Amino acid sequence: MTKAELIQAIAAKDGCTKKDAEKNLNVVLDTITEQLIKGEKISLIGFGTFEVRERKEKECINPKTKEKMIAPACKAPAFKPGKGLKDAVNK
């Protein structure tokens, strides 16, 4: 599902316009992004948790040249699904 299809589904389910659905979706995504940038964790009970995880520096191999290289340490966004979401998907 693309963002446009998600907006269309939200508008149909809520009975609002696509413009309002897009605005609301963008506000939610922007807020989640801003909080993750600040290092905050977002917990939506029953749905899941968004957080930033630290990745350590590691040695890897360039698949093109087969040369060993070091991937630097970085931060990566992560999502852990909640029990409600897991149960819904597995029904």
Side-chain angles (χ1 to χ4, degrees):
M1 175 178 268
T2 65
K3 186 175 180 182
E5 292 169 336
L6 179 58
I7 290 167
Q8 186 174 352
I10 292 169
K13 193 166 192 168
D14 189 42
C16 64
T17 65
K18 285 184 186 178
K19 189 173 184 178
D20 287 340
E22 180 177 16
K23 178 183 170 193
N24 292 334
L25 179 60
N26 286 335
V27 168
V28 170
L29 296 177
D30 290 345
T31 303
I32 290 172
T33 302
E34 289 168 6
Q35 295 307 307
L36 290 176
I37 289 169
K38 292 179 184 177
E40 296 290 325
K41 185 186 228 183
I42 298 105
S43 294
L44 305 172
I45 304 300
F47 184 74
T49 303
F50 296 91
E51 64 184 342
V52 175
R53 294 185 184 154
E54 299 279 338
R55 290 190 181 165
K56 295 179 182 178
E57 182 178 271
K58 64 180 181 178
E59 188 176 301
C60 56
I61 297 174
N62 181 331
K64 204 173 201 180
T65 64
K66 307 294 185 216
E67 180 183 338
K68 287 186 179 181
M69 51 189 273
I70 301 293
C74 65
K75 295 178 183 178
F79 176 74
K80 181 180 178 188
K83 184 178 182 338
L85 181 59
K86 286 180 190 176
D87 291 347
V89 168
N90 287 310
K91 281 189 178 179

